[in-house]
Amino acid sequence: MKSDRSAGKVTLADVGRVANVSAITVSRALRKPEMVSPKLRQRIEEIVEQLGYVPDPVARALASDRTDVIGVLIPSVTNSVFADVLRGIYAGVEGSPFSVQFGNTRYSVLEEERLLRVFLSQRPAGLIVSGIDQSETSRALLMQARCPVVQIMEMGPAPVDMMVGFSHFDAAYDATRHLIAGGYQRIAFLGARMDPRTQRRLEGYTQAVKEAGLFDEGLIITTPRASTVGLGCQLLSDLMARTQKIDAIFCNNDDLALGVLFECQRRRIAVPDEIGLCGFNDLEMMAVANPPITSVRTFRQEMGRRAVEMVLARIAGKDVPQPVVDLRYELMPRLSTRGQERLRRGA
Amino acid sequence: MKSDRSAGKVTLADVGRVANVSAITVSRALRKPEMVSPKLRQRIEEIVEQLGYVPDPVARALASDRTDVIGVLIPSVTNSVFADVLRGIYAGVEGSPFSVQFGNTRYSVLEEERLLRVFLSQRPAGLIVSGIDQSETSRALLMQARCPVVQIMEMGPAPVDMMVGFSHFDAAYDATRHLIAGGYQRIAFLGARMDPRTQRRLEGYTQAVKEAGLFDEGLIITTPRASTVGLGCQLLSDLMARTQKIDAIFCNNDDLALGVLFECQRRRIAVPDEIGLCGFNDLEMMAVANPPITSVRTFRQEMGRRAVEMVLARIAGKDVPQPVVDLRYELMPRLSTRGQERLRRGA
DNA sequence: TTGTAAGCGTTATCAA
DNA sequence: TTGATAACGCTTACAA
């Protein structure tokens, strides 16, 4: 007599009983069909169908010491950048037997460490973590992890295992070069949140303006606050209060850029004729804003998809020929940075 | 001798061995401290610390027939509305021993049903599902679920168990009344995605304009495509191609509204003087757009938080005095719908 | 307050 | 190709 705890639950043994075989044979018929004779296999499949047997992932996990869960650690659920990465990750596991478990580190290295311990104690099939700035301990935990690990969002010299991302430094450097090439001389930088990736973008900007002899610390405004459109408005106000002598603004992301655009509209500052404007990430709205806003396109969904692909390949025992993938970025020049050009052309 | 599968893993039995007690006592010391004598409890805690014992959730789940996982089924990971709900859900489980497992139904009732089966087979501690339009089967599955269930995002007459949301019909009705009260006569409706919630908003709009004798089917444009800012631009173009005789637009969400604003700017259509504009959800950017855009504020994070609270209360065996919570909405009138007023005042 | 015994549903191991 | 047995680490039920 079955205990009432397992009320109604159909088990491998139940199927086996009906099929007159042992539970393990049913298990094999489902997991490794080639190990069971075709005739028996078919019979078992029918009975499974008929009884409505559903494998129990918890029991499987305990017995086999592994799960079908890929752990994902990201610093934010609301930041649309990470929402896009998540979408890519979802697309990646789609159709596979694997599922995804997220952890929100809230930009905290310590919280990341804590979550990592929790995740690792749960025998993940794979681990995807954001960035390359883990704590020493986290890094050690990841190195010891008995599953594939992918670091996403950035490129770095010492991958824990696998890596897919792009250089935020280079991306910001190139965007700034674009502004300089367009004739802008007084290029401000607006940065929010200032997580490691934002920091690197600031470094890229700094290097570019320094090389061009255009560096001015007074043109850099940063805040630890999370970026929003409203913050973009405010940072522009702060900037204008500080100095009127700017002719371009590089925003560390598109939310800020949109806010800057709105605030410019309100202040009757012409974009791009008086101020050039460049965002980062190339959110969908950038291309249809008025004017369309120059941005740096990043491949966020692709990043998630590739990370999952790499994990799955490794799990499948396949060789991953390219364990470090640089997805690059693409500068999307639009009207918002054509001010100097137009002026020169006498527009 | 321990098998090598459990390499290095510290178990309850290990702790018990060192403490000279049985495994079950250690288990109790950790889960129900009041059942173990203070002295022993403290000794056990020390040894746990010292040995670095971490409870194994998989084994616990198998033995106790329940997990600490709250399943969440949402139709989209990218839609910022659901991203906000997720944030609320995260905030809700924060600090509790519970974790969250998401499933993305991609607006498909069938996919929802499939995921529901998967989730239910995993003994969730609770279930949070979106909307009230589950399939018959899903509904039956939910009714049978041996865990608390919360439907979020909407209000409806027959909750499966608990419910927290608001009436999309009422919200849209009130927003449309606001436009009518402002003197607008030819009010268009722009709708994307057309999921059940959007449909109900369309119904609310329809009722309001019909009551006012302002209904005109030609003013309604809908598309199954997902809403984006770019789509807002395009729908405005479609609308203008169809008729010039409109003086206000109610967009079924803020993305569309923003696109409409940009497109109006491009076409030199003055908002609000020529066309009034109202969005839905009141995303952060609405308040800082140029002009600020009227919208209907919805309490998305709050919805997630409350849903989790209700689940946790029920798990804790507490009575949930209010199993159906209507979070309402708030009309946020802004400059974008003051056109007719201003005209009347001769502005 | 503590312990014993018996599972939970599956898979690994070894044997037939 | 199939099966018997023993885990996996924990908790429930019952006993002391």
Side-chain angles (χ1 to χ4, degrees), chain B residues 3 5 16 21 85 89 99 114 117 129 136 142 176 184 207 210 229 232 260 268 293 297 313 340:
Chain B
S3 74
R5 272 177 55 190
V21 295
V85 173
I89 289 175
S99 69
R114 193 186 70 77
R117 284 185 205 282
V129 300
E136 285 281 326
L142 286 170
T176 310
Y184 294 103
Q207 168 131 345
K210 276 192 173 161
V229 179
V260 166
R268 307 258 182 277
I293 302 173
R297 186 166 178 202
Q340 301 302 307

Side-chain angles (χ1 to χ4, degrees), chain A residues 252-274:
Chain A
N252 94 132
N253 73 41
D254 288 341
D255 287 330
L256 293 184
L258 186 60
V260 166
L261 176 64
F262 284 140
E263 192 59 30
C264 283
Q265 289 179 349
R266 263 188 284 277
R267 290 166 177 257
R268 306 259 183 276
I269 299 171
V271 174
D273 291 341
E274 293 176 68

Side-chain angles (χ1 to χ4, degrees), chain B residues 251-297:
Chain B
C251 296
N252 95 132
N253 74 40
D254 290 341
D255 286 331
L256 293 183
L258 186 59
V260 166
L261 176 63
F262 284 140
E263 192 59 29
C264 283
Q265 289 179 348
R266 263 189 285 275
R267 289 166 177 257
R268 307 258 182 277
I269 299 172
V271 174
D273 292 340
E274 293 175 69
I275 289 185
L277 180 59
C278 177
F280 197 94
N281 276 320
D282 197 34
L283 297 189
E284 179 260 337
M285 61 177 76
M286 292 294 105
V288 298
N290 178 51
I293 302 173
T294 296
S295 194
V296 181
R297 186 166 178 202

Side-chain angles (χ1 to χ4, degrees), chain B residues 172-190 202 204-210 212-221 239 242-252 274-279 337 340:
Chain B
Y173 178 85
D174 283 1
T176 310
R177 293 286 313 163
H178 164 75
L179 289 168
I180 293 168
Y184 294 103
Q185 303 272 330
R186 302 277 301 163
I187 304 168
F189 179 95
L190 259 40
L202 174 54
Y205 155 88
T206 302
Q207 168 131 345
V209 287
K210 276 192 173 161
L214 298 174
F215 179 73
D216 177 350
E217 207 170 356
L219 297 179
I220 298 172
I221 296 196
L239 186 65
R242 188 191 284 183
T243 171
Q244 301 283 346
K245 283 170 45 189
I246 53 167
D247 57 14
I249 302 177
F250 177 33
C251 296
N252 95 132
E274 293 175 69
I275 289 185
L277 180 59
C278 177
T337 52
Q340 301 302 307

Side-chain angles (χ1 to χ4, degrees), chain A residues 66-342:
Chain A
R66 51 193 187 72
T67 63
D68 287 349
V69 176
I70 297 173
V72 177
L73 256 31
I74 54 174
S76 160
V77 263
T78 37
N79 185 323
S80 64
V81 166
F82 289 101
D84 285 342
V85 172
L86 285 193
R87 180 152 67 158
I89 289 175
Y90 255 112
V93 297
E94 191 89 39
S96 84
F98 291 86
S99 69
V100 171
Q101 166 104 318
F102 299 112
N104 182 355
T105 66
R106 291 172 303 152
Y107 293 99
S108 155
V109 168
L110 280 176
E111 179 67 4
E112 179 176 55
E113 196 174 308
R114 193 187 69 78
L115 285 169
L116 210 46
R117 283 184 208 282
V118 173
F119 277 35
L120 282 170
S121 79
Q122 301 183 29
R123 317 169 173 75
L127 234 28
I128 297 175
V129 299
S130 303
I132 56 179
D133 298 276
Q134 285 77 29
S135 72
E136 286 280 325
T137 313
S138 293
R139 205 182 153 79
L141 287 170
L142 286 170
M143 303 284 277
Q144 289 163 25
R146 295 187 309 170
C147 68
V149 174
V150 187
Q151 289 164 292
I152 59 172
M153 300 303 295
E154 293 192 60
M155 283 287 101
V160 165
D161 179 2
M162 298 180 285
M163 184 175 266
V164 44
F166 67 95
S167 165
H168 292 249
F169 180 98
D170 290 356
Y173 178 86
D174 283 2
T176 310
R177 293 286 312 163
H178 163 76
L179 289 168
I180 294 168
Y184 294 103
Q185 303 271 329
R186 301 278 300 165
I187 305 167
F189 179 96
L190 258 42
R193 177 67 78 183
M194 301 317 285
D195 62 88
R197 288 159 291 284
T198 311
Q199 300 275 13
R200 290 191 181 100
R201 298 207 280 270
L202 174 54
E203 286 163 17
Y205 155 87
T206 303
Q207 167 131 347
V209 288
K210 277 193 172 161
E211 282 177 4
L214 299 173
F215 178 74
D216 178 350
E217 206 169 356
L219 297 178
I220 298 173
I221 296 196
T222 64
T223 162
R225 292 168 56 194
S227 67
T228 59
V229 179
L231 184 58
C233 300
Q234 200 196 303
L235 291 183
L236 181 79
S237 303
D238 294 354
L239 187 64
M240 299 309 279
R242 188 190 287 183
T243 171
Q244 301 282 346
K245 281 169 46 187
I246 53 164
D247 56 14
I249 302 176
F250 178 34
C251 296
N252 94 132
N253 73 41
D254 288 341
D255 287 330
L256 293 184
L258 186 60
V260 166
L261 176 64
F262 284 140
E263 192 59 30
C264 283
Q265 289 179 349
R266 263 188 284 277
R267 290 166 177 257
R268 306 259 183 276
I269 299 171
V271 174
D273 291 341
E274 293 176 68
I275 288 186
L277 180 59
C278 178
F280 197 93
N281 276 322
D282 198 33
L283 298 188
E284 180 259 338
M285 61 177 76
M286 292 294 107
V288 299
N290 177 52
I293 302 173
T294 296
S295 194
V296 181
R297 187 168 178 202
T298 56
F299 304 94
R300 305 177 294 280
Q301 266 192 257
E302 177 74 2
M303 219 164 348
R305 258 198 343 92
R306 290 292 284 273
V308 171
E309 268 174 22
M310 289 159 90
V311 167
L312 295 188
R314 187 64 81 62
I315 291 171
K318 282 180 212 153
D319 185 46
V320 177
Q322 218 190 325
V324 175
V325 177
D326 186 344
L327 245 31
R328 306 287 301 163
Y329 49 86
E330 187 180 358
L331 185 69
M332 306 294 285
R334 299 202 179 95
L335 192 52
S336 75
T337 51
R338 294 225 192 106
Q340 300 304 309
E341 266 175 56
R342 285 162 58 150

Side-chain angles (χ1 to χ4, degrees), chain B residues 13 18 36 83 114 141 192 226 238 254 288 290 302 319 322 329 343:
Chain B
V18 175
V36 175
R114 193 186 70 77
L141 287 170
D238 295 353
D254 290 341
V288 298
N290 178 51
E302 177 73 2
D319 185 46
Q322 217 192 326
Y329 49 86
L343 288 180

